[in-house]
Amino acid sequence: MIERISITSLIKFLSALNLMLLFSACGNPCKEVICNNGGACVDGVCNCPPGYSGEDCSQLTRDLYLGTYNVSEECPNLNAYTVNIFADTISLKRIRIANFSNSFSNTVY
């Protein structure tokens, strides 16, 4: 036997269903986001503090630049040399540069 429902009951049911679907789709965009090293979630994306980067703020920004670089200067004279950039052992936010400007062997912080 098929039960009959009134148009009013059907409209109320569909309205309630519509509201449930609407609210379940509009959740907190930061609910599942974890930001490391003091980062804060804003609209589902980590806003990282200075010195950190990446989707979850777990990448030390300085680490992106560590390595050996071949430098070529053209002014005032043609000059080519190698510079080494490495992590500072005291601060996570500092780097050390060896052979900067090919004019001395001291390390620049």
Side-chain angles (χ1 to χ4, degrees):
M1 177 174 165
I2 299 175
E3 292 186 32
R4 293 185 178 194
I5 59 171
S6 69
I7 298 286
T8 305
S9 296
L10 181 60
I11 290 172
K12 286 181 183 179
F13 172 76
L14 292 175
S15 295
L17 181 62
N18 189 29
L19 283 174
M20 284 182 3
L21 292 174
L22 177 68
F23 285 114
S24 67
C26 296
N28 178 357
C30 291
K31 183 178 179 180
E32 302 293 324
V33 178
I34 297 173
C35 302
N36 296 299
N37 298 307
C41 182
V42 178
D43 295 328
V45 177
C46 288
N47 185 8
C48 302
Y52 295 95
S53 60
E55 281 188 31
D56 63 353
C57 303
S58 62
Q59 172 75 47
L60 277 169
T61 305
R62 71 158 190 200
D63 290 351
L64 299 172
Y65 305 98
L66 303 180
T68 301
Y69 295 86
N70 294 318
V71 179
S72 179
E73 296 179 1
E74 295 180 8
C75 186
N77 299 315
L78 184 60
N79 192 15
Y81 55 93
T82 301
V83 170
N84 293 308
I85 300 177
F86 50 99
D88 183 56
T89 57
I90 297 171
S91 172
L92 293 175
K93 296 180 182 176
R94 289 181 12 175
I95 59 172
R96 297 173 71 179
I97 304 172
N99 202 35
F100 182 73
S101 192
N102 203 34
S103 61
F104 54 87
S105 61
N106 294 331
T107 300
V108 178
Y109 293 90

